[in-house]
């Protein structure tokens, strides 16, 4: 016991710097975030408390992974994987010509609407950006759309899965902050569509003020038979969205049960379309296993680190530090948003949620603010992180399927106007919490 460090004598301030510095050093070596957080947690636990601290860490990890709601995460990931391997998204994109066909910039507009429907089906962003990059981007480039507009639309639209229910980001936040996920979905509904409408308005303003940005609509009216054919592509996706979100909002099913309904609906859709095969199901399951395994490992590491930091008195230290910044709760919230914005440029959203929310949410409650509203605000902030350089994942997802002449630098430059729109949405949510209906 004498070999243990005296954390009380050292002080929580220096310990916080040591912990943060060790994390940064290990991350710079290329070690995955999940292992970095778990290793740092073990180092500090053993250094300060010995082996007696290990059961405390394991009990916190067990509490995180045993949650029944967590079952919905692999279900929604599986939905996204199945959509990725079926033709549902392509038919949905074609069907959206009924909305965008008569507008200048119509393909870009229909891309946003397709992104909203896909987000409402699965809540996963990586697959959406890849799908739209394969379906929408080549069509826009072929029709003469401005390259930056086309790139931005695909990345920003594909990232809407962060905000539009059933968002995985909101599910993880709900688990971490111990708030109702159903309430989060209800509160995020209007802000998610508000952001999508910001994108649509931006596209239309650019298209109609600068004719070189987007081609004019097709002057030949669409035959009635083709309209009916296109409408068929809307039926199955909208039914899945209706049953998933409708069952949650109507109180018929929990989020976990609704996620199972969604998987069943997508599987049935692939059967009806004649696309189902064992190979598709196997590949989708393997992709789901890899994605959820990453989320679980990050959760284990982050939960362990926050547990040890709390044992050291760190959460109380950060809370006092944050509340001492200002007497104005809005200023404190803005500081939190700035911290999340910086972290979002370097870390995965899962790690950010699990590392910061156990610290931030109690402060929000102490300030008398609504943790559900803050969850929507957090999800909106993570929208920004998906697009922000240098490590914005949306850019890398698109780069993997974009034409070779489109560089990462060009993609990030194309995202700047959409990042500005996202920051505007964050500002509106801070200024007008009533947007969430809370």
């Amino acid at each position: 016991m004498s070999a243990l460090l005296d954390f009380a004598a050292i002080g929580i301030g220096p310990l916080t710097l040591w912990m943060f510095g060790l994390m940064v050093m290990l991350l710079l070596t290329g070690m995955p975030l999940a292992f970095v957080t778990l290793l740092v947690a073990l180092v500090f636990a053993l250094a300060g408390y010995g082996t007696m601290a290990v059961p405390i860490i394991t009990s916190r990890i067990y509490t995180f992974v045993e949650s029944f709601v967590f079952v919905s995460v692999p279900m929604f990931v599986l939905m996204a994987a199945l959509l990725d391997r079926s033709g549902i998204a392509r038919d949905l994109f074609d069907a959206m010509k009924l909305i965008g066909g008569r507008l200048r910039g119509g393909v870009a507009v229909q891309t946003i609407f397709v992104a909203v429907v896909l987000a409402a089906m699965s809540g996963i962003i990586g697959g959406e950006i890849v799908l739209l990059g394969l379906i929408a981007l080549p069509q826009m480039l072929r029709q003469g759309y401005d390259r930056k507009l086309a790139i931005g639309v695909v990345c920003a639209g594909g990232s809407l899965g962060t905000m539009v229910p059933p968002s995985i980001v909101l599910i993880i936040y709900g688990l971490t902050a111990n708030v109702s996920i159903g309430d989060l979905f209800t509160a995020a509904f209007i802000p998610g569509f508000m952001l999508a409408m910001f994108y649509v308005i931006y596209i239309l303003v650019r298209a109609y003020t600068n004719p070189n940005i987007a081609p004019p609509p097709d002057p030949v009216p669409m035959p009635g038979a083709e309209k009916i054919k296109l409408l068929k592509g809307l039926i199955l996706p909208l039914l899945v969205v209706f049953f998933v979100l409708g069952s949650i909002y109507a109180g018929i099913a929990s989020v976990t049960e609704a996620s199972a309904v969604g998987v069943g609906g997508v599987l049935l859709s692939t059967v009806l379309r004649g696309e189902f095969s064992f190979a598709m199901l196997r590949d989708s399951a393997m992709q789901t296993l890899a994605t959820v395994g990453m989320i679980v490992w990050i959760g284990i590491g982050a939960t362990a680190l926050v547990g040890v930091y709390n044992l050291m008195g760190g959460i109380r230290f950060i809370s006092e530090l944050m509340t001492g910044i200002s007497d104005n709760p809005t200023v404190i919230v803005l500081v939190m948003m700035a911290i999340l914005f910086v972290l979002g440029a370097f870390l995965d959203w899962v790690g950010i949620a699990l590392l910061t929310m156990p610290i931030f949410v109690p402060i929000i409650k102490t300030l008398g603010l609504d943790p559900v509203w803050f969850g929507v605000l957090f999800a909106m902030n993570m929208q920004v992180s998906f697009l922000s350089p240098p490590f914005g994942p949306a850019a890398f997802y698109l780069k993997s399927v974009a034409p070779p002449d489109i560089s990462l630098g060009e993609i990030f430059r194309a995202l700047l106007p959409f990042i500005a729109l996202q920051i505007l949405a964050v500002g509106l949510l801070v200024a007008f919490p009533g947007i969430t209906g809370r």
Side-chain angles (χ1 to χ4, degrees):
M1 296 294 289
S2 59
L4 298 179
L5 294 177
D6 187 351
F7 281 177
I10 296 171
I12 187 60
L15 287 171
T16 301
L17 292 176
W18 289 4
M19 184 176 276
F20 181 74
L22 182 58
M23 279 185 61
V24 171
M25 187 178 69
L26 291 173
L27 285 170
L28 289 175
T29 66
M31 186 182 293
L33 176 65
F35 301 143
V36 167
T37 50
L38 190 57
L39 180 59
V40 171
L42 285 172
V43 167
F44 276 81
L46 294 173
Y49 306 101
T51 54
M52 71 174 71
V54 176
I56 299 173
I57 296 174
T58 53
S59 66
R60 283 184 61 92
I61 291 170
Y62 182 75
T63 302
F64 169 74
V65 297
E66 75 167 346
S67 173
F68 179 63
V69 179
F70 193 76
V71 177
S72 63
V73 174
M75 288 294 184
F76 285 125
V77 175
L78 181 58
M79 281 177 64
L82 289 168
L83 285 170
D84 192 21
R85 287 163 173 78
S86 72
I88 294 173
R90 188 173 295 277
D91 286 355
L92 177 63
F93 182 79
D94 291 338
M96 285 296 174
K97 289 178 184 174
L98 297 169
I99 296 175
R102 306 304 299 166
L103 297 170
R104 180 181 284 275
V107 178
V109 171
Q110 77 187 65
T111 300
I112 298 297
F113 281 108
V114 169
V116 170
V117 177
L118 290 176
M121 291 179 74
S122 67
I124 300 290
I125 75 145
E128 280 187 51
I129 292 172
V130 170
L131 277 172
L132 295 174
L134 291 170
I135 297 170
L137 183 62
Q139 188 167 334
M140 283 190 278
L141 295 178
R142 188 172 60 250
Q143 291 186 11
Y145 277 76
D146 177 73
R147 278 166 59 114
K148 288 184 178 178
L149 180 67
I151 292 166
V153 164
V154 170
C155 286
S159 299
L160 284 170
T162 310
M163 279 300 301
V164 177
S167 161
I168 302 294
V169 176
L170 292 173
I171 293 173
I172 296 296
Y173 172 86
L175 288 169
T176 309
N178 196 27
V179 299
S180 166
I181 293 170
D183 288 348
L184 285 168
F185 283 0
T186 303
F189 193 84
I190 292 176
F193 283 95
M194 176 187 76
L195 184 59
M197 288 305 102
F198 281 0
Y199 295 158
V200 170
I201 292 168
Y202 172 75
I203 292 165
L204 293 176
V205 169
R206 291 291 309 279
Y208 280 95
T209 55
N210 185 350
N212 297 323
I213 290 289
D218 188 352
V220 181
M222 188 182 296
E226 187 177 348
K227 288 182 180 179
I228 294 172
K229 181 182 177 182
L230 291 176
L231 276 172
K232 292 179 181 177
L234 283 173
I235 295 172
L236 290 175
L238 292 182
L239 279 176
V240 172
V241 171
F242 174 78
F243 283 115
V244 172
L245 295 183
S247 61
I248 295 172
Y249 291 136
I252 299 170
S254 68
V255 172
T256 306
E257 293 161 345
S259 67
V261 169
V263 171
V266 173
L267 276 173
L268 181 60
S269 299
T270 60
V271 171
L272 293 175
R273 292 168 55 87
E275 296 173 341
F276 179 81
S277 67
F278 175 74
M280 181 184 76
L281 184 59
R282 180 197 63 212
D283 293 344
S284 299
M286 292 302 292
Q287 181 182 336
T288 301
L289 188 63
T291 303
V292 176
M294 177 269 293
I295 292 174
V296 169
W297 270 109
I298 291 176
I300 289 171
T303 304
L305 184 66
V306 171
V308 172
Y309 192 57
N310 189 27
L311 193 62
M312 293 159 55
I315 292 181
R316 186 175 65 252
F317 167 72
I318 296 294
S319 178
E320 292 172 356
L321 199 65
M322 294 291 293
T323 51
I325 291 172
S326 172
D327 294 330
N328 188 338
T330 302
V331 174
I332 297 173
V333 170
L334 290 175
V335 171
M336 290 179 179
M337 289 298 103
I339 293 170
L340 293 174
F341 179 79
V342 173
L343 290 176
F346 300 98
L347 295 180
D348 185 271
W349 68 265
V350 182
I352 295 172
L354 295 171
L355 287 170
T356 61
M357 290 307 107
I359 300 172
F360 285 180
V361 173
I363 298 173
I364 290 296
K365 291 178 180 177
T366 303
L367 294 172
L369 301 175
D370 186 358
V372 174
W373 162 77
F374 188 73
V376 178
L377 193 58
F378 166 73
M380 189 71 83
N381 194 300
M382 290 301 97
Q383 278 271 309
V384 183
S385 77
F386 279 118
L387 305 189
S388 299
F391 299 117
F396 290 92
Y397 286 132
L398 182 60
K399 177 61 181 170
S400 67
V401 294
D405 62 320
I406 294 180
S407 66
L408 266 176
E410 183 178 4
I411 293 174
F412 278 123
R413 286 192 296 273
L415 297 180
L416 293 177
F418 294 90
I419 292 173
L421 291 173
Q422 291 170 339
I423 294 173
L424 172 63
V426 170
L428 287 174
L429 275 179
V430 172
F432 305 103
I435 294 173
T436 60
R438 302 293 294 179

